[in-house]
Amino acid sequence: MRSGYSSLQAGGGTALPPLNAPARKCQCRAIRSAGKWPRQAAPCEAVSEPENTDLVQVRRAYKFRAFPTRPQEGRAVRLLADHCDLYNAALMERREAWQMRHVRIGYGVQSAQLKEIRRADPGGQGRHSFTAHQQTLRRLNTVFTAFFDRVKPGKEKKPGYPRFKPYQRFSQVLFVAGDGAKWQPSCSGKWAHTTFQAVGTLKVHQHRPVAGTVKALRLKREHRRWEWRKVRNRRRDFHHKTARALVNQCDVIALEDLNIAGMTRRPAPRPDPGKPGTFVPNRARAKAGLNRSILDAGWAQFTSILTGKAAEAGRRLVLVNPAGTSINCHRCGRRCERPQRKTVICPVHGAIDADVNGARNIASRAGLGSGQAPTAA
């Protein structure tokens, strides 16, 4: 950490490189913007609003790859590290204020301290955008808002107090377009340019046009050496194409409102009452395999993508209660047996295709019909 600034040393797990040193692991850049700007930053990339007021107002997101020079990579790493220090110092202040005085410190108080912090460190925090600092503090405030929501009575989720972030896990900074960041679209050809304060002007591969007006930009580091990046990209591509096909073909789409976090929760240990200090089998290994399959399918991501595309196209999306959709008969509502994955057996109507039965139950709950198969004339 640079000398002369001791109040922001709470974060980071590794030493910072010199200002002119290249960051070899920082090989991929993405220009991003917020889906809900500025207080609720979404994980999508470039946000704009349509110019035609007759259309549905939708915040779109675009993700492009940037190609920084070696000096720009080093400055970008320094930018992320400084914002990580700010995030961790603000977290430390909130934690100590509560532990010592039982006082809650919010975003307003910490944002008011930014001028003094930047004045005390002109060569460090003072080099960066003031509004970008505010977005980092809002990011921390969002984390605490979610924490306070989890500790409310009746919540099944564990609270999970906010934790400090090491430099390796702090990989993105949000900027307000026109204040610390500027987007210059491609006029002819594929290259666009974007400028970030304290980093410079980066060359960007703009593979698609950006509609509307860009409101926010997010600089994100994605390591090329991550063995799951290609799988993630393929899954996202499949989700986008499938969602687009559904939106183009259907006016109303019904989905199960699945609780992914609850479905992928690890089973709790089961103490053995006959042998204190030991535990009985709880099928944790089998559940871990099922959890991996659920998370690998990316149901939550697909729902989010489909919701955005449906809103943009003016389609209606209905989320229904998933309880019993796969095991109850769509014709009589009785509970079925499921000896095989693809088949359910109703005690009245016999064997039914499990996928067809579930789809008709979902359609019925969404108000799209009874879900019953048409009877032969």
Side-chain angles (χ1 to χ4, degrees):
M1 190 63 193
R2 288 178 294 275
S3 60
Y5 196 69
S6 59
S7 61
L8 291 178
Q9 297 182 0
T14 58
L16 295 179
L19 286 175
N20 57 354
R24 299 188 179 275
K25 290 186 178 180
C26 188
Q27 298 179 3
C28 186
R29 286 288 183 280
I31 300 171
R32 311 185 66 181
S33 70
K36 294 181 179 179
W37 172 82
R39 293 187 177 274
Q40 298 179 355
C44 301
E45 275 77 25
V47 127
S48 61
E49 294 183 354
E51 297 178 354
N52 189 349
T53 57
D54 295 334
L55 301 178
V56 178
Q57 296 293 323
V58 178
R59 294 185 181 274
R60 297 180 59 94
Y62 302 84
K63 181 177 180 179
F64 303 119
R65 182 180 176 183
F67 294 83
T69 63
R70 289 297 178 87
Q72 288 174 340
E73 286 184 2
R75 292 194 292 270
V77 171
R78 177 70 63 171
L79 167 73
L80 295 177
D82 287 341
H83 277 263
C84 181
D85 287 335
L86 178 67
Y87 181 96
N88 288 332
L91 173 57
M92 175 68 75
E93 182 184 26
R94 289 190 180 214
R95 188 174 71 170
E96 290 182 348
W98 178 255
Q99 289 177 347
M100 297 179 181
R101 307 188 304 274
H102 286 276
V103 175
R104 286 187 181 179
I105 296 180
Y107 163 78
V109 174
Q110 293 187 321
S111 179
Q113 300 172 358
L114 282 177
K115 290 185 178 180
E116 182 180 350
I117 292 174
R118 293 164 58 85
R119 189 183 304 112
D121 187 22
Q125 297 292 340
R127 300 184 304 116
H128 304 301
S129 168
F130 184 85
T131 54
H133 277 160
Q134 289 180 319
Q135 304 310 317
T136 298
L137 293 181
R138 285 195 176 105
R139 175 179 174 182
L140 176 64
N141 192 67
T142 301
V143 172
F144 269 94
T145 301
F147 166 72
F148 292 136
D149 182 67
R150 291 193 298 268
V151 298
K152 291 180 180 178
K155 293 291 184 178
E156 298 180 357
K157 299 180 180 180
K158 294 183 179 179
Y161 191 84
R163 296 178 294 179
F164 295 105
K165 290 184 178 293
Y167 292 137
Q168 298 89 340
R169 295 183 64 86
F170 197 94
S171 58
Q172 54 188 332
V173 175
L174 178 66
F175 290 82
V176 177
D179 190 350
K182 182 180 180 182
W183 170 252
Q184 297 174 320
S186 174
C187 297
S188 61
K190 63 179 181 179
W191 296 111
H193 295 84
T194 182
T195 303
F196 294 102
Q197 186 171 330
V199 176
T201 301
L202 309 181
K203 187 170 65 172
V204 180
H205 180 198
Q206 184 180 347
H207 60 272
R208 58 182 298 192
V210 177
T213 303
V214 175
K215 295 293 186 179
L217 297 167
R218 189 188 303 269
L219 179 65
K220 182 182 179 184
R221 171 179 55 200
E222 291 186 357
H223 294 286
R224 283 183 176 177
R225 297 181 181 178
W226 185 18
E227 294 178 348
W228 289 98
R229 183 175 176 226
K230 183 177 290 186
V231 176
R232 181 198 64 185
N233 290 341
R234 288 178 176 176
R235 177 171 55 234
R236 180 178 289 273
D237 178 71
F238 172 76
H239 287 170
H240 275 283
K241 291 179 179 178
T242 304
R244 173 53 58 191
L246 290 173
V247 168
N248 290 342
Q249 295 174 5
C250 307
D251 292 328
V252 183
I253 304 172
L255 293 177
E256 293 177 304
D257 189 10
L258 299 174
N259 180 10
I260 306 299
M263 296 173 65
T264 56
R265 187 177 295 120
R266 293 184 296 178
R270 298 168 54 189
D272 189 347
K275 298 179 180 179
T278 62
F279 299 88
V280 297
N282 62 349
R283 300 181 59 83
R285 181 173 297 180
K287 186 62 169 63
L290 176 61
N291 292 348
R292 283 194 296 269
S293 298
I294 293 175
L295 295 175
D296 185 61
W299 294 342
Q301 175 179 276
F302 176 72
T303 301
S304 176
I305 292 174
L306 181 60
T307 301
K309 292 186 182 297
E312 179 188 8
R315 305 294 191 263
R316 188 162 66 95
L317 183 69
V318 183
L319 298 178
V320 303
N321 184 0
T325 54
S326 61
I327 201 64
N328 294 340
C329 178
H330 69 275
R331 301 183 66 179
C332 62
R334 289 182 173 86
R335 188 172 181 83
C336 305
E337 296 182 359
R338 195 169 186 176
Q340 298 179 357
R341 181 179 179 182
K342 297 183 178 180
T343 306
V344 294
I345 301 178
C346 175
V348 177
H349 301 97
I352 311 173
D353 184 276
D355 293 335
V356 173
N357 180 69
R360 286 175 173 164
N361 278 328
I362 295 173
S364 178
R365 295 185 184 184
L368 303 180
S370 64
Q372 295 184 3
T375 57

